[in-house]
Amino acid sequence: MRELLIGNAAVARGLYEAGCSIVSSYPGTPSTEITEMAAKYDEIYCEWAPNEKVAMEVAFGASVRGKRTCCCMKHVGLNVAADPLFTLSYTGVNGGLVICVADDPGMHSSQNEQDSRHYAKASKIPMLEPSDSAEALMFTKLAFELSEEFDTPVFIKMCTRVAHSQSIVETSERVLPEDKPYEKNPQKYIMVPANAKLRHPFVEERTRKLTEYAETAEINREEYGDSDFGIITTGTCYQYVKEVFGESVSVLKLGMIHPMPVERIKSFADKVKKVYIVEELDGFIETHVKSLGIDCIGKEMFSNIGELSQLAVATAFGLDEPQFASVDTNVPGRPPVMCAGCPHRGMYYTLAKNKITVLGDIGCYTLGSMPPLNALDTTLCMGASVSGLHGYNKAGGKETEGKTVCVIGDSTFMHSGITGLVNISYNASNSTVIILDNSITGMTGHQQNPTTGYNIKGDPAAKIDLETLCKAVGINRVRVVDPYNLAECDAVLKEELSAEEPSVIISRRPCVLLKSVKAKPALTVSKDDCKSCKMCMKLGCPAISMHDGKADIDATLCVGCGVCTQMCKFDAIK
Amino acid sequence: MTKSIMIVGVGGQGSLLASTLLGKLLVTEGYDVKVSEVHGMSQRGGSVVTYVRYGDKVYSPIIEKGDADCIISFEKLEAARWVQYLKKDGVIITNTQQIDPMPVVIGATEYPADILTELSQKVKVDALDALSLAQQAGSSRAVNIVLMGRLARQLDIPTEKWEDALRAVVKPQFVDINLKAFELGYNFGL
């Protein structure tokens, strides 16, 4: 069947057609939809794991048992899973094992733009990079075959533009692979030094064989045109090159980005007068090509920062600049904002009002760093708020303990906040941790997590009780507040900051975008009572603005959360 | 020849349904199609953009400055934000609705009141109050389909094909409202 699918859905379709039966992932833009779409196939068992390390280890176990399996993550998630990754390279697989990693050049929704291709080289695991949805489907199926043939995990490397672009795919039926029963094999699966020493030469030999494969593999493709120069490229950059040059240019398109061929690149370079490398982020192909002694031009022409495009390619090659109109008026920016009625807002206002230093984490609530709340001081990576707070307070002592907190979402806390809290408890810092529990994984588009009581299919599941968990790791003071109640937030915050021991405040209210959350009638401002003091504006609620000197509430946005009524000293908001 | 259409607006305005409708229609018409958007952080009330490209063979999934044959804007400030992406002879179809961005809400800057006037002096603008038309059709959420109705005037695809595609992408109980919204957009000003 001919269908228009986003790249991530095409990978999911590939998983289905390849007979993959176990998928374990942690959500992260732009990888999330792979697992969400895979979960729609009843034949595939899918789950949200607490983090990427767990997900990859689940995939390892499933592979050892002989099933085709996959784990998906965003680029920074691969950092979390790096520990199993490097040794998984040594054990190899039984059932085919595919790791989907989605990079985010341009940082549409990420904290850095690391280039995952380095992981393939460093861990000595082959990596395939599709350039559209049709290839995403095809490469995913091929990845399982390569995985089993060469006894290796195989990466599928996506990027935002391939993951979130729809293009046409041809689907086919699901074919189940032969069952591969587990056979005890300590030399392969128990990575103690004696065994690992035997596996390392296997890994090196495997890379040599895969390089040989790359020399003839169809997913690496030469397209000879009539121009006298040639371009080596991969992934979405291939599309930009073709957009600019059409059939006229000679291209070596690398579908397998690690390991790369040697003879084939030399042969391509021999046939053209000049070699250019077009790739996003680092000069990964360029380094390889130059290591072969081939003169080429790459990063001196293309930035290693952000995304490329057809315009970036055309401009670099000195082609015509596009013609376009523009307006002289300054167009105000439209940054993303916390939603009207967002439960995080009340707690952030309380923190900002009390001039608290706040170590932040990864999620929707990072938006609390924006004006007018300006409530955050740091954001590093998943879980870093909790461990960072401990370090900050160990360094600052009494001077910082009563004036500093961290904030972390429920899903992020389950991902990697728990270990930081264990450290606070075990190594005794007088720290106050705030868990912003909105009962969902918000930023990535509402995925369930171990604290929500539901699994990926929406079926009831074991619900981790945050209060019990925090107490179990040694925190005696665990408080729960409603972030819609400003007075309660203020009182509890002050009590816990002044306490002489670590504490956890759970700021609990479900995300206002959840279907189960019913909006209350929109509030209105009495123009007669409004004294234009702008106190309500301090909340940064997108539903509230000033019109003709008076506060005004947009009835289409307001969900009646009532936080602004607590800000108004004149009872003008009802 | 590849045609490029951009759909721009504010996160949460329903551009996803518009691009799904358009994509489905173009595939049915036998074109090669690419539809590209970005998920995640920008969805939270930020400026959002979807690229739709179609033709015999489409390579790049994205649209660059000076590339777009048509820009459909769900909000007038967004029309101005993306105008550089329009081809010299392209057209902007824009909803006249005003949604204040946060810097305006908090008083850090002002919403440029005459933005549509300036835009009309620079490029071809087809402006309509899509929100009122959507309400007239029966739902303020049908702004996206009003604008698709307007776009239908720019493309060489019979309206019956649009209506078939519409029936395929919206839930049965909303078909009538959306068909009405499509018609109101298509016939506006006639």
Side-chain angles (χ1 to χ4, degrees), chain A residues 95 123 264:
Chain A
S123 65
R264 216 163 157 180

Side-chain angles (χ1 to χ4, degrees), chain A residues 2-4 6 29 33 108-110 131-132 160-162 164-168 236 238-240 242-243 246-247 308-312 322-339 345 363-364 366-367 371-372 442-446 513 537 540-542 544-547 557, chain B residues 2 9-11 16 19-20 23-24 27-28 30-47 51 53 57-67 75 77-78 80-81 83-88 98-107 109-112 115 118-119 122-123:
Chain A
R2 203 161 163 266
E3 273 187 85
L4 195 57
I6 60 166
T29 313
E33 298 84 359
H108 297 280
S109 199
S110 301
S131 71
D132 61 14
T160 300
R161 295 302 177 186
V162 176
H164 287 166
S165 291
Q166 303 173 49
S167 56
I168 294 171
T236 193
Y238 166 79
Q239 307 290 356
Y240 305 146
K242 294 296 280 187
E243 182 76 33
E247 306 301 315
L308 296 182
S309 67
Q310 58 267 39
L311 181 60
Q323 300 285 310
F324 52 82
S326 54
V327 291
D328 303 323
T329 305
N330 176 40
V331 177
R334 192 183 296 276
V337 291
M338 288 200 299
C339 307
R345 182 171 285 108
C364 281
T366 313
L367 293 169
M443 178 59 87
T444 45
H446 283 182
L513 297 181
M537 298 296 293
C541 175
I544 312 175
S545 55
M546 297 298 288
H547 280 279
L557 292 176
Chain B
T2 301
V10 179
L16 189 65
S19 61
T20 305
K24 204 169 200 63
V27 171
T28 313
Y31 290 110
D32 187 22
V33 182
K34 286 191 176 169
V35 179
S36 182
E37 60 207 0
V38 168
H39 305 191
M41 198 156 207
S42 61
Q43 283 183 311
R44 305 281 176 251
S47 174
Y51 307 113
R53 308 191 75 222
K57 173 70 189 165
V58 179
Y59 289 110
S60 174
I62 61 174
I63 295 171
E64 263 288 2
K65 287 181 178 172
D67 264 354
E75 200 270 354
L77 189 64
E78 295 310 306
R81 185 184 317 285
V83 65
Q84 295 189 341
Y85 284 72
L86 194 68
K87 260 186 195 151
K88 277 198 97 173
Q98 171 172 340
I99 300 175
D100 291 345
M102 193 47 72
V104 171
V105 169
I106 63 173
T109 182
E110 287 194 357
Y111 194 103
I115 195 70
E118 188 189 351
L119 209 52
K122 302 280 173 70
V123 296

Side-chain angles (χ1 to χ4, degrees), chain A residues 356-390:
Chain A
I356 304 297
T357 300
V358 181
L359 286 88
D361 224 292
I362 306 284
C364 281
Y365 47 95
T366 313
L367 293 169
S369 62
M370 308 287 280
L373 289 165
N374 302 311
L376 293 184
D377 290 87
T378 68
T379 296
L380 181 66
C381 68
M382 296 283 285
S385 65
V386 185
S387 5
L389 174 66
H390 175 79

